[in-house]
Amino acid sequence: MTDLALPRPRPSWTAPLTRASTWRALLPFLSLVAILVPIFLINPRTMSYFGLNLMLGLAIPIMFATLAQMCMLTVNDLDLGIGAYVGFVTCVAATWLVDEPLLGIAVLLGGVLAYAAAGALIHWRNVPSLVVTLGMSFVWLGLAILVLPSPGGASPAWLRAAMGWKPPFVPLPILVAIGLAALVHLFLMRSALGSVLRGAGGNPKAIARAGWSLFKIRVGLYALAGVFGLLSGLSLLGLSTSGDANIAQRYTLLSIAGAILGGCDFVGGRVSPVGAVTGALVLTLAGSLLTFMRISPDWQIGAQGAILIIVLALRALTSRRRR
């Protein structure tokens, strides 16, 4: 008579591990709820289609900028020039893209190639990304001022129409957030290539031993960051209808804060596209909440920083529980 093999009970430590991981994943969404509830309580009219569309109007360019920063974090790098680059895109699109479309398209594509070249330089010479991207920020700002010395220009008609589109039932920023989060999540988190890209930040030696080129991965992710930055600048121009070299200076810090708030880490290739998009929404709504609370704009940046510190503290607690 043979004995039946009974399943072994799970170790007791797996339950807290699962709970801690779940809390870490849910933290961006809980932060979003924690921002929305007081906004709805203070001003119930914001629960309407018009209210949500008005509050989230500037969320689209911030989402693109946050995803650009997330591409850098995938390979443990950081972009300190994304804000200046977004401003450069608005200046080129507000002038050359309107007056000389072919020249404007060529210059904008050249910006994406410049991002790829920066990735190549960082990999070849082993230069810290902070140094290169900080230097590039001055380049982008100088070029933007040369193209458009003072705020002005005009947004292309097709761009204004795209950003001004009002779909039925659901505001455009919410549809863009859902679509962006789903597409980037499927590519980066569910595809074989996405696993390789994330592995380049988590375990580059293993990826190299498997035959993948770390150089091509970094260059590709930098180019993808340039594309997201380009889309951020175009969407911002469609909303503002004029270009300005300094219009997106805050986007550098907002993109870093949105990515980190959304669950991305500075090292290890740990990123979350859905969390990054959610983090961008949280930072956008935080500005609306502080406005409803009649907090001076001079204090709003500090208040947004306090929100980020609180979320990071909660993440640190969940990480400690996991360990």
Side-chain angles (χ1 to χ4, degrees):
M1 183 176 180
T2 59
D3 294 332
L4 293 176
L6 297 177
R8 295 182 179 179
R10 282 188 176 183
S12 58
W13 51 264
T14 56
L17 176 64
T18 304
R19 285 197 299 267
S21 302
T22 302
W23 276 111
R24 182 183 175 90
L26 290 177
L27 195 54
F29 305 99
L30 296 176
S31 303
L32 182 61
V33 173
I35 292 290
L36 280 174
V37 169
I39 289 177
F40 292 158
L41 292 176
I42 295 173
N43 191 346
R45 289 177 296 180
T46 56
M47 286 187 285
S48 64
Y49 180 101
F50 176 77
L52 289 173
N53 192 63
L54 186 63
M55 287 192 302
L56 295 173
L58 290 175
I60 295 177
I62 295 177
M63 284 188 286
F64 281 122
T66 304
L67 289 174
Q69 194 70 249
M70 186 200 68
C71 292
M72 299 290 201
L73 291 172
T74 304
V75 285
N76 306 328
D77 289 346
L78 201 62
D79 186 3
L80 297 183
I82 185 65
Y85 176 64
V86 172
F88 165 76
V89 171
T90 64
C91 292
V92 173
T95 52
W96 293 342
L97 194 61
V98 176
D99 301 330
E100 302 180 51
L102 292 180
L103 176 60
I105 293 173
V107 172
L108 293 176
L109 292 179
V112 176
L113 293 178
Y115 254 82
L121 174 64
I122 291 170
H123 186 86
W124 272 336
R125 306 302 300 174
N126 197 24
V127 183
S129 61
L130 295 176
V131 175
V132 175
T133 57
L134 180 61
M136 289 298 298
S137 69
F138 294 107
V139 174
W140 297 127
L141 181 60
L143 291 175
I145 293 175
L146 287 175
V147 174
L148 192 63
S150 60
S155 173
W158 59 269
L159 190 55
R160 291 196 306 271
M163 297 307 301
W165 179 51
K166 291 181 173 56
F169 308 115
V170 182
L172 179 62
I174 296 179
L175 290 180
V176 173
I178 295 173
L180 267 180
L183 288 175
V184 182
H185 177 82
L186 289 175
F187 168 69
L188 200 57
M189 309 301 289
R190 296 297 180 183
S191 68
L193 179 58
S195 299
V196 173
L197 297 179
R198 288 183 286 112
N203 194 343
K205 292 183 179 180
I207 296 298
R209 285 197 298 267
W212 293 90
S213 170
L214 295 176
F215 168 76
K216 292 181 180 179
I217 291 174
R218 177 170 263 110
V219 170
L221 283 172
Y222 268 69
L224 184 59
V227 171
F228 281 128
L230 170 62
L231 295 175
S232 177
L234 291 177
S235 58
L236 181 58
L237 177 62
L239 293 169
S240 63
T241 68
S242 63
D244 184 359
N246 297 300
I247 194 173
Q249 288 299 318
R250 291 179 58 191
Y251 278 32
T252 298
L253 294 180
L254 285 176
S255 64
I256 297 172
I260 299 303
L261 191 152
C264 304
D265 288 337
F266 286 113
V267 294
R270 290 186 290 270
V271 295
S272 172
V274 177
V277 171
T278 306
L281 293 176
V282 170
L283 292 175
T284 305
L285 291 171
S288 299
L289 174 61
L290 297 173
T291 300
F292 290 140
M293 295 173 66
R294 299 181 180 179
I295 296 178
S296 170
D298 296 334
W299 291 92
Q300 288 188 12
I301 298 178
Q304 289 176 338
I307 293 173
L308 178 61
I309 291 173
I310 293 172
V311 173
L312 290 178
L314 294 174
R315 280 183 54 185
L317 290 176
T318 57
S319 298
R320 183 175 300 178
R321 290 190 61 187
R322 290 180 64 185
R323 288 194 294 267

